[in-house]
Amino acid sequence: MQTIKSLGILGGTFDPIHYGHMVAAECVRDAFHLDRIIFVPAAWPPHKDPEGVLDSRHRFNMVELAVGDSPNFEVSSMELDRQGLSYTVETVASCQQLYPAAEIYFILGTDALLLINTWKELERLSKLCHFILVTRPGYELNRNDQRFREIPDYLWEKTLILPIPGLYISSSEIRQRVTEGKTIKYLVPEMVEKYIVENNLYQDEEGIHV
Ligand code: ATP
Ligand code: MG
């Protein structure tokens, strides 16, 4: 068995997973020569209305389909198994236990960074992992933004910035497009598109929550 020495974690709601997530994961893997990327769907994302989020079983299944048999990608149900609110600090601590030899890199887009000050035990988290900040169209970092200024120095010290090809795709937009009967081909992996159709996901307005 391969010893994992470097591990990337991409947390998210994945409601549903799309090519923006996949490109972010792949570019980070490649740029930092990571042994593996784990996609971790959140059970109950602290920043979202749980009522509006699709059943975790479907979200997990879609990530599993997207990851397919890629040797470098994996999906973990650890946050779903834990239930309750999903905190990154607990996820990273669990990964550290599972892969004691690994240096951990937590991947996040610029929109997620702006919320990071609200995360649980941020200082402890910053001791457990590095952060890789990937660029995201529509969320350019504005140094005058108060939320940006409040990001503590100890976090910047652990953060690497990786510009990636910009894909102006969000799960919110995918849901909206499905509800409106528009195509999502080439925005999500083909197997995910098929899964959405077969399970009649995002058909009604209730599926839309931005
Ligand atoms: P929603 O519209 O429901 O908020 P989302 O598209 O933002 O969904 P999330 O599951 O919330 O997807 O995002 C998980 C992580 O992936 C976050 O760190 C986010 O910044 C990052 N991410 C999502 N889409 C992109 C993208 N197109 N480019 C770069 N990073 C992205
Ligand atoms: Mg989001």
Side-chain angles (χ1 to χ4, degrees):
M1 206 181 84
Q2 181 200 7
T3 306
I4 304 289
K5 297 211 182 73
S6 53
L7 180 73
I9 301 175
L10 180 62
T13 317
F14 302 116
D15 188 15
I17 187 162
H18 54 68
Y19 276 130
H21 299 125
M22 307 294 290
V23 164
E26 173 61 8
C27 289
V28 169
R29 184 199 65 75
D30 182 53
F32 297 97
H33 310 290
L34 304 188
D35 292 330
R36 188 169 297 171
I37 305 281
I38 306 189
F39 291 71
V40 187
W44 192 337
H47 304 295
K48 293 190 181 175
D49 170 11
E51 293 297 310
V53 177
L54 183 69
D55 190 305
S56 60
R57 178 177 52 97
H58 285 313
R59 293 185 288 112
F60 179 88
N61 289 346
M62 289 190 279
V63 178
E64 200 167 41
L65 287 172
V67 163
D69 50 13
S70 158
N72 304 308
F73 289 174
E74 180 182 306
V75 52
S76 165
S77 62
M78 66 172 72
E79 291 192 358
L80 307 180
D81 301 340
R82 253 191 346 248
Q83 312 241 320
L85 290 171
S86 298
Y87 292 112
T88 300
V89 66
E90 286 161 16
T91 300
V92 171
S94 301
C95 286
Q96 190 70 87
Q97 278 183 351
L98 288 170
Y99 302 96
E103 201 68 36
I104 298 183
Y105 297 82
F106 191 85
I107 305 163
L108 73 178
T110 34
D111 57 311
L113 178 81
L114 292 175
L115 293 173
I116 205 165
N117 259 331
T118 63
W119 290 16
K120 187 182 168 192
E121 295 178 52
L122 192 54
E123 194 155 5
R124 179 172 150 234
L125 172 65
S126 71
K127 291 189 177 116
L128 295 174
C129 67
H130 304 268
F131 299 92
I132 300 182
L133 181 64
V134 294
T135 49
R136 180 172 189 181
Y139 299 96
E140 276 68 33
L141 283 182
N142 173 6
R143 280 164 203 274
N144 294 321
D145 186 318
Q146 195 54 32
R147 293 170 300 172
F148 181 92
R149 289 183 187 197
E150 281 166 6
I151 296 169
D153 286 346
Y154 65 75
L155 206 127
W156 282 125
E157 281 157 20
K158 297 290 297 273
T159 303
L160 301 152
I161 300 177
L162 181 70
I164 61 168
L167 292 184
Y168 207 118
I169 306 177
S170 67
S171 301
S172 314
E173 194 190 339
I174 306 278
R175 296 191 296 274
Q176 178 129 19
R177 292 184 68 87
V178 175
T179 306
E180 291 172 2
K182 292 181 179 159
T183 179
I184 54 165
K185 205 177 170 81
Y186 309 123
L187 297 174
V188 301
E190 211 170 322
M191 300 281 275
V192 172
E193 184 195 352
K194 207 163 155 244
Y195 186 94
I196 291 173
V197 172
E198 281 171 1
N199 291 279
N200 288 313
L201 305 181
Y202 312 121
Q203 293 297 326
D204 49 85
E205 295 282 333
E206 277 168 37
I208 300 181
H209 45 97
V210 183

